[in-house]
Amino acid sequence: MNVFSFGSYYPGDSPLHRMDPRAKLLLGIVFIVVALAARNAAALGAVAVFVAGFYLLSRIPLKYAAKSLAPLLFIVVVASLLNLFVVQGGPVIFEWAFIRISEGGVQSCLTIASRLVLILLGMSLVTMTTMTLDLTEALERLLSPFARFGLPAHELGMILGIALRFLPQFMTELGIIYRAQKSRGAHFNANPFRGGIQSLTALLIPLFTSAFRHAETLSAAMEARCYHGGVGTTRLEPLRLTWRDAVGT
C-alpha cells in the first residue's frame, strides 16, 4: 500500500513528460488494442520491448512501476486462473474430479497474464508522465466534438480526474484502517472459510464510509465555489500539439 502509485504523477522532464496529453491518451488506446490483439509469445515480446523502451525514454524506474501495480495483480491472477480451468485444448496435464487442466488452458493462462500486466504497465506509464489536470483536460478536449450530440465531455473528464486523484489516497486510507483495526485486536485471515469474509468486511465498510464522506465534502466544496461545469473556463497553459507529439505518435 505504501508503494501504490497507479494514477500518480512521477515528476520528470523526459520527452514523454513533455508530450501533449491528448497524444498520450490516443497512444494508450492504440496500445491497448495492439496488446489485446497479440496472440502469441512473439507478439507479446514485441509489446514488452515497446513498453520497456518507453520506460527508458521516460526515465521512470521499471521497478517502481512494477511495485505500483502490486495491488492490481489480483485482477491478473483471477483472470488467469479462470482461463486455466475453463479453456480446454490439447493434452490433459492434470485431472481430478471436475477439475481439468490442459495444455491449451496453461497457454491461455500465461497469455492472459502477460497481456494484462503489459496493459497495466503501459497505462500506468501514461498516468505517471501526465499530471491529473492535464489528463482531465485532454479527455475533455478529445470528447468535445461529441458534446453536440449530448455527451457530457466535461463531466467525464472531471470524473477521470477525481478518480485518479483519490485512488492513491484510498489505498493510503485502507492502510490506516488496517492498522487501526489491528490495534483494536482484529485478526485478519486470508482464508475465506476461516473468517476471511469477516476480515474483509472490517476493512471495506470503513473504507466505503470514508469514500462517501470524501464525496460529500467534495460536492459541498464545489457547490460553495459556485461550480457550474466547464462553461467559460480558461487555462493558464493551453494544450498545443507539437512536432514531438507527431513523432511520438
Side-chain angles (χ1 to χ4, degrees), residues 57-187:
L57 182 65
S58 64
R59 305 188 188 103
I60 295 177
L62 191 59
K63 183 179 180 181
Y64 174 85
K67 286 183 178 180
S68 71
L69 298 180
L72 300 177
L73 291 181
F74 174 77
I75 302 174
V76 179
V77 172
V78 171
S80 303
L81 290 179
L82 287 176
N83 280 268
L84 178 64
F85 295 111
V86 172
V87 177
Q88 301 295 330
V92 177
I93 300 176
F94 175 80
E95 185 174 5
W96 179 75
F98 60 91
I99 299 177
R100 176 181 296 180
I101 300 177
S102 65
E103 184 177 334
V106 173
Q107 183 178 359
S108 177
C109 172
L110 295 177
T111 302
I112 290 296
S114 303
R115 184 183 295 146
L116 289 178
V117 169
L118 290 173
I119 289 176
L120 290 176
L121 284 174
M123 296 312 296
S124 178
L125 182 61
V126 174
T127 58
M128 284 193 292
T129 58
T130 314
M131 289 187 290
T132 304
L133 290 177
D134 291 336
L135 275 177
T136 303
E137 176 69 12
L139 182 63
E140 181 180 352
R141 294 284 295 275
L142 289 175
L143 296 179
S144 58
F146 303 98
R148 65 184 66 181
F149 302 108
L151 183 70
H154 176 76
E155 286 75 9
L156 290 175
M158 182 182 62
I159 291 173
L160 173 66
I162 293 175
L164 292 176
R165 169 62 183 84
F166 281 99
L167 190 58
Q169 181 175 345
F170 285 150
M171 294 304 299
T172 303
E173 290 194 8
L174 182 60
I176 295 174
I177 294 171
Y178 174 80
R179 290 189 292 270
Q181 297 288 45
K182 290 281 288 186
S183 67
R184 295 183 177 95
H187 298 282

Side-chain angles (χ1 to χ4, degrees), residues 17-52:
H17 282 82
R18 296 193 297 269
M19 280 184 64
D20 191 280
R22 292 170 292 179
K24 284 187 277 190
L25 277 180
L26 292 177
L27 274 176
I29 296 173
V30 174
F31 169 76
I32 292 177
V33 174
V34 172
L36 291 176
R39 300 293 181 182
N40 51 50
L44 289 173
V47 174
V49 171
F50 176 83
V51 172

